[in-house]
Amino acid sequence: MYVAVKGGERAIDNAHAWLAEERRGDTAIAALSIAQIREQLKLSVDRVMAEGSLYDPDLAALAIKQARGDLIEAIFLIRAYRTTLPRFGSSLPVETARMAVIRRISATYRDLPGGQVLGPTFDYTHRLLDFALAAEGLDVVEAPSANPEGLDNVPHVMGFLNRESLIEAPGAGDEVPPDLTRNPLQLPANRALRLQALARGDEGFLLSLAYSTQRGYGNTHAFVGELRIGQVTVEAELPELGFAIEIGEIELSECETVNQFGGSKSEPPQFTRGYGLVFGQSERKALSMSLVDRALRWKELGESHSPAPARDEEFVLSHCDNIQATGFLEHIKLPHYVDFQSELELVRRLRAAAITPSGKEE
Amino acid sequence: MNTRPEAAPLLSVRGLAKYYGTRIGCTDVSFDLWPGEVLGIVGESGSGKSTLLSCLAGHQQPDRGEIHFDGRDLLAMSEPERRRLSRTEQAFVHQNPRDGLRMGISAGGNIGERLMAVGARNYGQIRETGLDWLGRVEIAGARIDDRPSAFSGGMQQRLQIARNLVTAPRLVFMDEPTGGLDVSVQARLLDLLRGLVRDLGLSVVLVTHDLAVVRLLAHRLMVMKSGQVVEQGVTDQVLDDPQHGYTQLLVSSVLQV
Amino acid sequence: MNVASADNYNFAYLDEQTKRMLRRAILKALAVPGYQVPFAPREMPMPYGWGTGGVQVSAACLVPEDRLKVIDQGADDTTNAVSIRKFFQRVAGVATTETTTEATVIQTRHRIPETPLKEDQILVYQVPIPEPLRFLEPRETETRRMHALEEYGLMHVKLYEDIARHGEIATAYAWPVMAEGRYVMTPSPIPKFDNPKLSDCPAIQLFGAGREARIHALPPWTKVVSLDFEDHPFQASKADHACEICGSCESYLDEVITDDQGGRMFVCSDTDFCSTRSNAQQSGAA
């Protein structure tokens, strides 16, 4: 009954009770544990951490459980929790060159120092449903492990290009980047701020934007210079100590693209860079981010103005956050009858005025 | 040359230069434009005439030189002052009417915008002025509530002119106003423009590659090549007795057509 | 895992640093009536578009002695009003009320209460799109420039187009206003019936847009003019009926469909106003 919108205190309580019941599902089936979600739905957990901007697999798993598997809802829970956390300080920049990689590939070289490391990837699987997984209690066959030596100090591919000045020098990056969660987004944004917004941005939105650049809407001719996934240590400087100490480890996906070169009569041509960095194992997101990052850099690289959605900073940054998007989209479910009432009266009046003077009404 | 009775030129340009990196947009441009005078700027594409126009109109910042409008230093003006000027005493007619019109807004709204921007708040009067201006540019008053997208190219261009002239500007910049139109449509538009310029006493800086247009409209002519003014003078004199080799080439190529 | 319980949150949910940031923005907004002050919104435990801007502004204003009223569509008992009121009961423990005259802070969505506000009250509006020029010009960089230069011609072009097409200005709610002769601002999507109440109001009026990260404000006694033409003046309007419960002819009415035969009735949208009137009538009759 529509009356439920007014006088709704009990209705809300009941709806919440029902939701809780639905969330649990059939009680004859064992409930999921946080550990099960964390271990077996890891890529969902990773996405929730990335877009929720909070690295905590247990909390992300809890959010997924509470959200009944709705990842955007889970991201929302994490964001709302994150915002209440006190901020003690910031870490030093993480050194992805010292990442302990589980996966590291380059599309621009056949082979290279450090090697091509496929890691746990879906890439070359055949997408056939594995009905064996439907049977419970099967033991996993252990994967053979190679000699892991040297995988925690793999050189960056971009370094090879940089040594020959074939690619633009990496940005200086000594400045403290602005913080999107503590300061309002001011446009135009610098690259650090853009990357921050993209790192929190919706994977699907960035995927579509990146895809659109590949289809000619702001093409940047991207090659994957390097994609690497693995653990990095996080260090922070404590004022009391005066030096940095290790405070933990996080898993990251990093993508660097080599893009179409610029140059002019005075400046020799050079490849340009796109960059993506995401919490967890989220390579689709990292790739998308680096393509969109590169597309957004057209102005600073002196490229000519040709409008495309992925090159439009204001458009991309204003719409990439799925928590903002879903909130505003879904708010149209709220009652709007006061406004609708005044529209109703307006339309009635306009219709009456339109019909009467011409005498069309008989 | 400048032995006219008016005390001061309306627009005075000295040593204007604009570079794109090391490439010259335009350089060393100096001229005076007097009230009621139409100055034609001709040259091939890439000659710097459009760069010059956009510097004069304030769309681009020149790298060197001075521009005075009615004694006021345009380059020293604040942005609000500059923008107020460009919607009151100055106007800009684009080659493509889509750049100068709001395509989603009715003809009347297009004409009324400049009036409302400077404070007109009486709907009836705004509409009356709109109808008056539609008449002056030979568009039927019944089309006042139609959007420009329903107009032909020639009508769109005439509407753009009405939208610009409604606040009685003193100086109008025109960028190839007849470009992209059929020859017969061009002739009608030129005729209309000539009448308006004369009746309203407008000063005009007119950029075109079409010598027929300047012969009909411009009192004086400036010929540009590679960013520089190679010849200037009274229109008929320049066209009938070109001194510079490049002007001779331009004129002869037109005569061949 | 360390999950905080509701009791671990700071008074009114937000930490004091955040509230200080919000208060700075609010003060700036009050100093420049109608100007949209950027602020850094926090993620709130309710979705963007559901009142996060209003909630953050309220949270920054509330002190333990406050008495809070929350309305949506004029009513205290609409679902979202209930939800926001409960939120502040839980995280701030402030007293709440449904009586307009008793409230010190009133958070609203889409309405201004019928009962005139007083000097010691704060009215907090939830704002979806704070930029009145947004649907004429989608770019923030461009609209900020238009405000800075007072280039409001386009706003009137929109009103002109309405009259040309419909014979009158076809805006029923969120009718744009000019604050203190300088900034064009949106009053949020209140019906135009409420617009006259914006001007010369003794209470502080604060407008919070969470997703869009903007706060604007009207200090007490600010002159607020609804945009119009001399010959097509602004007119507040409402359904031409009296409330079927309290009989008021002055209050804004909801149209309630009573059956599927086209039957309908009109009742006050402001539930407190309506019940106060009908209670007075009953006690007067008794």
Side-chain angles (χ1 to χ4, degrees), chain A residues 36-317:
Chain A
Q36 282 172 337
I37 296 172
R38 186 192 63 219
E39 296 302 318
Q40 295 173 41
L41 298 178
K42 176 173 184 300
L43 299 187
S44 292
V45 168
D46 284 353
R47 180 172 174 195
V48 170
M49 292 195 302
E51 292 168 38
S53 304
L54 183 71
Y55 196 94
D56 188 323
D58 283 328
L59 283 181
L62 170 63
I64 291 168
K65 179 173 178 175
Q66 187 180 333
R68 307 178 65 193
D70 178 339
L71 294 190
I72 290 187
E73 183 66 28
I75 292 161
F76 185 7
L77 288 167
I78 291 297
R79 289 270 191 96
Y81 176 71
R82 175 194 196 273
T83 196
T84 65
L85 298 176
R87 179 159 308 199
F88 298 120
S90 41
S91 75
L92 297 178
V94 293
E95 265 318 329
T96 53
R98 295 212 307 267
M99 177 185 281
V101 300
I102 57 164
R103 171 161 168 76
R104 184 269 196 149
I105 53 167
S106 169
T108 51
Y109 293 98
R110 180 193 165 115
D111 200 5
L112 64 168
Q116 305 265 20
V117 182
L118 282 185
T121 175
F122 289 119
D123 281 357
Y124 304 103
T125 63
H126 294 139
R127 268 61 169 203
L128 302 171
L129 278 177
D130 181 359
F131 293 100
L133 284 178
E136 288 174 43
L138 277 185
D139 284 330
V140 191
V141 188
E142 208 170 289
S145 74
N147 173 16
E149 260 169 54
L151 285 187
D152 54 0
N153 208 354
V154 180
H156 270 123
V157 174
M158 300 308 231
F160 307 144
L161 290 166
N162 195 30
R163 218 162 296 144
E164 283 182 74
S165 300
L166 287 173
I167 193 157
E168 57 168 330
D174 288 336
E175 288 166 53
V176 176
D179 185 345
L180 195 56
T181 67
R182 288 292 183 271
N183 296 294
L185 175 67
Q186 301 267 25
L187 298 165
N190 64 18
R191 190 178 179 204
L193 191 61
R194 288 199 305 251
L195 286 170
Q196 200 175 107
L198 296 180
R200 285 158 60 90
D202 183 72
E203 177 177 313
F205 181 74
L206 294 187
L207 169 65
S208 295
L209 279 176
Y211 174 52
S212 73
T213 68
Q214 293 181 294
R215 292 191 65 261
Y217 291 84
N219 196 2
T220 62
H221 305 282
F223 298 97
V224 174
E226 179 170 334
L227 171 73
R228 56 168 66 193
I229 300 174
Q231 299 275 342
V232 297
T233 56
V234 180
E235 295 178 325
E237 237 166 42
L238 301 186
E240 292 82 357
L241 294 178
F243 54 88
I245 57 158
E246 205 178 304
I247 56 171
E249 282 198 332
I250 58 174
E251 188 184 38
L252 293 175
S253 301
E254 181 187 55
C255 175
E256 292 189 276
T257 52
V258 182
N259 297 74
Q260 113 195 119
F261 46 83
S264 60
K265 270 182 193 153
S266 55
E267 283 187 46
Q270 266 188 330
F271 288 113
T272 56
R273 297 169 183 254
Y275 189 71
L277 186 70
V278 190
F279 280 161
Q281 188 173 344
S282 309
E283 63 187 69
R284 183 186 300 119
K285 168 80 178 276
L287 285 162
S288 303
M289 181 176 165
S290 56
L291 262 64
V292 175
D293 166 52
R294 175 58 189 77
L296 287 171
R297 296 181 62 214
W298 66 275
K299 233 183 244 176
E300 68 199 59
L301 293 171
E303 292 175 333
S304 64
H305 178 64
S306 65
R311 303 180 96 194
D312 187 332
E313 171 180 291
E314 184 158 345
F315 178 81
V316 174
L317 297 194

Side-chain angles (χ1 to χ4, degrees), chain C residues 146-196:
Chain C
M146 289 162 82
H147 282 294
L149 302 178
E150 284 185 78
E151 286 190 354
Y152 292 136
L154 197 55
M155 189 84 244
H156 268 87
V157 170
K158 197 252 164 206
L159 305 181
Y160 169 95
E161 292 287 289
D162 271 2
I163 302 175
R165 187 162 328 140
H166 303 296
E168 64 173 280
I169 297 175
T171 297
Y173 56 91
W175 186 297
V177 297
M178 172 71 85
E180 206 62 37
R182 175 57 181 85
Y183 283 98
V184 168
M185 65 163 245
T186 179
S188 85
I190 56 173
K192 66 176 180 173
F193 173 82
D194 282 339
N195 267 31

Side-chain angles (χ1 to χ4, degrees), chain A residues 5 7 13 79-81 83 181-182 184 200 312 314 327-328 331 335-339 341-342 345 348-349, chain C residues 2 13 39-40 42-43 48-50 73 77-79 86 109 139-141 168 189 211 238-239 252 255:
Chain A
V5 172
D13 291 343
R79 289 270 191 96
Y81 176 71
T83 196
T181 67
R182 288 292 183 271
R200 285 158 60 90
D312 187 332
E314 184 158 345
F328 197 57
H331 108 283
H336 282 78
Y337 55 79
V338 160
D339 291 347
Q341 180 67 34
S342 57
E345 283 154 25
R348 279 188 188 133
R349 202 164 55 242
Chain C
N2 173 26
Y13 190 73
F39 76 107
R42 301 294 187 255
E43 262 97 6
Y48 286 109
W50 299 56
Q73 313 296 301
D77 59 352
T78 38
T79 43
K86 267 178 124 175
R109 176 166 172 265
R139 280 175 189 287
E140 176 68 15
T141 33
E168 64 173 280
R211 189 180 39 81
K238 64 183 255 312
Y252 190 79
E255 183 172 330

